[in-house]
Structure formats: C-alpha cells, structure tokens
C-alpha cells in the first residue's frame, strides 16, 4: 500500500466512524474490534475487501432496528462498495446516578501503594 493509499484508507475509516457517531441514538463505537492505523486504532469498525462491519453502542430506549438501519444508510455511501453489517453491541444509560458516581470516582483519593508517607 502506498503512502497516498494508506492516507486515503485512514481518511475513509475516519469518515465512516464520524458518520456512525452522527446517527441519533448512537453513543459510541464498541471497543471489541478495531481498525488499526499507524499510531492509533479506530474502535468499532472492521473493513475487509468486500465487507464493512460496524460495532456500535446505542442509548437505552433507542429503537435498535431503526438505529441499525440508520447506521447502515449513513455508512453505505462511504464503504466503497463493501457490504455493510451493523452490530449493536451494547446499550448505554446516562442518568443522574451514573453521572454522580463518575464525579465521585474522579475526585476520590488514590492510594499511594508501595511508599511510606
């Protein structure tokens, strides 16, 4: 693969990831699979010669079949003729309780293991 082809491939991967994340109800790309690019990885995608897999997470209460169809419709024009398969891997719940827990975790003191102070 030439440098230009690699840059085009990376730009295509980024465009697909951006398109998925722009779909209403999608909360992220699932980390179970990824496209590896020089110096980084793009989670939630797998691109083969003839197929493109999208592994996404959606918000609790989202219409899962509609979200999958919207992801497929958003990705198809960017997939360079590849068949697009969509997998909804997880649901996310964002509420006051989870936000409070995250805030508490962020401010909790970290134990200093292995040193005497």
């Amino acid at each position: 693969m030439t440098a230009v082809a690699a840059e085009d491939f990376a730009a295509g991967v980024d465009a697909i990831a951006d398109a998925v994340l722009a779909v209403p109800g999608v909360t992220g790309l699932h980390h179970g699979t990824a496209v590896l690019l020089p110096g980084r990885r793009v989670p939630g995608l797998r691109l083969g010669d003839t197929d493109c897999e999208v592994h996404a997470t959606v918000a609790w209460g989202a219409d899962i079949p509609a979200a999958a169809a919207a992801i497929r419709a958003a990705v198809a024009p960017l997939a360079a003729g590849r068949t697009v398969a969509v997998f909804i891997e997880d649901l996310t719940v964002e509420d006051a309780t989870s936000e409070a827990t995250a805030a508490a975790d962020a401010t909790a003191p970290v134990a200093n293991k292995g040193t005497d102070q």
Side-chain angles (χ1 to χ4, degrees):
M1 183 180 294
T2 67
V4 171
E7 289 172 9
D8 289 346
F9 180 77
V13 169
D14 290 336
I16 290 170
D18 291 343
V20 172
L21 294 172
V23 172
V26 172
T27 58
L29 291 162
H30 195 264
H31 291 274
T33 189
V35 172
L36 302 178
L37 298 173
R40 65 190 177 103
R41 62 192 305 269
V42 180
L45 300 177
R46 191 189 72 72
L47 275 70
D49 291 337
T50 61
D51 62 329
C52 171
E53 290 183 8
V54 178
H55 299 260
T57 59
V58 298
W60 177 264
D63 182 338
I64 293 172
I71 291 168
R72 191 173 298 103
V75 170
L78 305 171
R82 294 175 179 95
T83 302
V84 179
V86 177
F87 302 88
I88 304 302
E89 297 286 359
D90 206 354
L91 301 175
T92 57
V93 177
E94 296 297 325
D95 62 14
T97 304
S98 64
E99 289 173 8
T101 301
D105 288 345
T107 59
V110 177
N112 221 352
K113 296 182 179 179
T115 60
D116 295 330
Q117 291 189 8

